[in-house]
Amino acid sequence: MSIGLSIFEIFIIVFVVLAIVTLIMGVKVVPQGMEYTIERFGRYTRTLSPGLNIITPWIDRIGAKMNMMETVLDVPSQEVITKDNALLQVDGVVFHQVLDAAKAAYEVNDLQRALLNLTMTNIRTVMGSMDLDELLSKRDRINYQLLKVVDDATAAWGLKVTRIEIKDITPPQDLVESMGRQMKAERDKRATVLVAEGDRQAEILRAEGEKQGAILAAEGRREAAFKDAEAREREAEAEAKATQMVSESISSGNIQAINYFVAQRYIEALGKFADSPNQKMFFMPVDAAGIMGAIGGIAELVRESAAGRGGGGVGGSGGGSGGGSGGSGGDTGSPWRRGPSDEG
C-alpha cells in the first residue's frame, strides 16, 4: 500500500509539472515591434502579432522572430569605376522595414546579407554608368535610382526599402589634386570674365554719361542762345522805340532830343573806352565843346520838362529854347573851345 501511494504521488507530481510546462509552451507574449512565425511540424501556419498569444503546445513552435521596425543597414566602402574610368571609394546606408514576416523569414535566407549584397551591386551598376562630374553633382539622382531598383527587387521578400543614401564618395588623391587645379583654373577664368564684363559695363556707362553730358551741354547752349537772342531782340526793340521817340520829338520841333541822343551815344563810347583793361592816353577832340554843348542841351531839356510839368505853358517852352540856344552859343565861345588851341 505504501508503495502504491508513492507511485501515485509521483504521477501527480509529473502531471503537475507537465501541466505547467504545457501552459508555458502554449502561452506566448510577443513584444511591440516584433512578429513571430508559428510552425506546426515544421510547416508555417500563422504569424503572432504583438501581445498575448495562445498556441498549441507540443505541436506548434516559434519559427522566426522578425523585427518589424525600420532598420538601418550600413553599406561598407567599396571601389567603383565610373564611366570615364575614375576609381572611387563609395559607402552608404540603407533604411528598410519588414512588412511581411512570413516572406522575410521563408522567401530569402539571411535577409540582411542578401539586402547588403544587392545594394552594393546596384551601387556599382548605377554609379558606373555615370561620369565623375555627374556623379559628384547628382547624388539625388543616384539615390533615387538605387532606391527604385533595390525596392523592386526586395518586394518579393516582404521588405520595404524606404531610403538609400550615399554617404561618402572619395576619389584618389591625385584625382583630388587635379580637380583642385581644374576648379582653380575655372574660378580664375570666371574672375577674368567678370572683370572684363565689369570694365565693359563701366565703359558703356562712362560713354552714356559723356553722351548725356554732351546732350545737356548742347541743350544749355541752345537755351542760352535763345535767351541771348531774346535779350538782343528786346534791346533792339528798346533801341527802335527810343529812336522813334527821338524822331517824333525832332518832328515836333524839339531839337534838344537829337542832342540828348548824340550825347548819350558819345558818353557810352567814352565809358567803354575807359573801362577797357589796357593802358591808354586819352586826347579830347577839337570839337569836344560841341559835345559839352550837347550835354548842356540835355540839362536844358530836363529843365524844360520840369517847367512843362509845372505849368509853364508854351511861353515857358520858348524861353527855355532861347536859353538853350544861348547856352549853346555861349558854350561855343567858352574856355572848352579855346583850351586846345592855346595849347597848340
Side-chain angles (χ1 to χ4, degrees), residues 308-319:
R309 286 194 300 270
V314 177
S317 301

Side-chain angles (χ1 to χ4, degrees), residues 6 49 82 86 93 131 143 163 218 231 242 270 292:
S6 298
S49 59
T82 62
V93 291
D131 295 332
N143 295 335
R163 296 188 69 179
L270 290 178
M292 297 303 173

Side-chain angles (χ1 to χ4, degrees), residues 39-313:
E39 298 176 356
R40 178 170 293 178
F41 302 116
R43 182 177 178 273
Y44 167 77
T45 57
R46 63 192 178 98
T47 302
L48 300 182
S49 59
L52 183 63
N53 295 271
I54 304 299
I55 64 173
T56 304
W58 308 106
I59 298 175
D60 295 339
R61 69 180 185 88
I62 296 175
K65 298 179 179 181
M66 303 304 300
N67 187 350
M68 306 301 291
M69 295 181 291
E70 187 171 3
T71 308
V72 180
L73 178 64
D74 287 326
V75 179
S77 179
Q78 62 176 332
E79 292 184 350
V80 175
I81 300 177
T82 62
K83 186 178 179 180
D84 52 354
N85 297 322
L87 184 63
L88 307 174
Q89 291 286 335
V90 180
D91 61 358
V93 291
V94 180
F95 297 84
H96 65 281
Q97 183 178 10
V98 175
L99 300 180
D100 192 331
K103 289 183 178 181
Y106 302 110
E107 294 294 335
V108 61
N109 184 24
D110 196 349
L111 179 62
Q112 296 289 327
R113 187 165 63 89
L115 178 60
L116 179 61
N117 290 330
L118 181 64
T119 303
M120 294 178 67
T121 303
N122 282 279
I123 285 177
R124 288 194 296 268
T125 302
V126 172
M127 299 182 71
S129 63
M130 303 172 67
D131 295 332
L132 177 60
D133 294 338
E134 187 179 10
L135 187 145
L136 293 175
S137 61
K138 297 183 179 179
R139 290 199 180 190
D140 291 340
R141 176 183 169 187
I142 297 172
N143 295 335
Y144 173 76
Q145 291 183 357
L146 285 172
L147 177 62
K148 186 176 184 305
V149 173
V150 175
D151 187 44
D152 292 342
T154 57
W157 301 343
L159 193 67
K160 175 63 178 177
V161 178
T162 56
R163 296 188 69 179
I164 296 180
E165 296 287 341
I166 299 297
K167 289 198 301 184
D168 293 323
I169 299 177
T170 308
Q173 187 62 33
D174 57 345
L175 186 58
V176 173
E177 294 175 357
S178 299
M179 292 171 61
R181 290 192 297 269
Q182 179 182 1
M183 180 181 64
K184 184 177 183 300
E186 185 67 24
R187 289 187 176 180
D188 291 341
K189 174 185 174 182
R190 282 186 291 178
T192 304
V193 171
L194 289 176
V195 170
E197 185 67 22
D199 293 340
R200 175 175 172 271
Q201 291 294 332
E203 291 295 333
I204 292 174
L205 292 176
R206 189 178 297 110
E208 287 289 338
E210 293 177 355
K211 175 183 175 182
Q212 292 296 328
I215 292 174
L216 292 176
E219 291 180 354
R221 290 193 298 272
R222 183 182 67 176
E223 187 69 21
F226 287 161
K227 295 295 184 181
D228 291 342
E230 184 178 357
R232 287 194 300 270
E233 181 180 358
R234 291 184 179 181
E235 184 178 359
E237 290 177 356
E239 185 70 20
K241 187 174 181 180
T243 304
Q244 182 180 0
M245 293 176 64
V246 170
S247 299
E248 291 176 356
S249 298
I250 294 173
S251 299
S252 62
N254 189 355
I255 211 64
Q256 297 298 338
I258 190 64
N259 292 334
Y260 169 78
F261 192 73
V262 173
Q264 182 183 14
R265 292 293 181 269
Y266 194 85
I267 291 171
E268 289 177 357
L270 290 178
K272 292 180 180 179
F273 184 81
D275 289 338
S276 61
N278 298 328
Q279 294 182 356
K280 60 189 76 67
M281 181 178 292
F282 183 70
F283 294 96
M284 291 294 293
V286 177
D287 58 346
I291 301 303
M292 297 303 173
I295 295 174
I298 294 173
E300 187 65 25
L301 183 62
V302 171
R303 286 195 298 269
E304 289 180 1
S305 298
R309 286 194 300 270

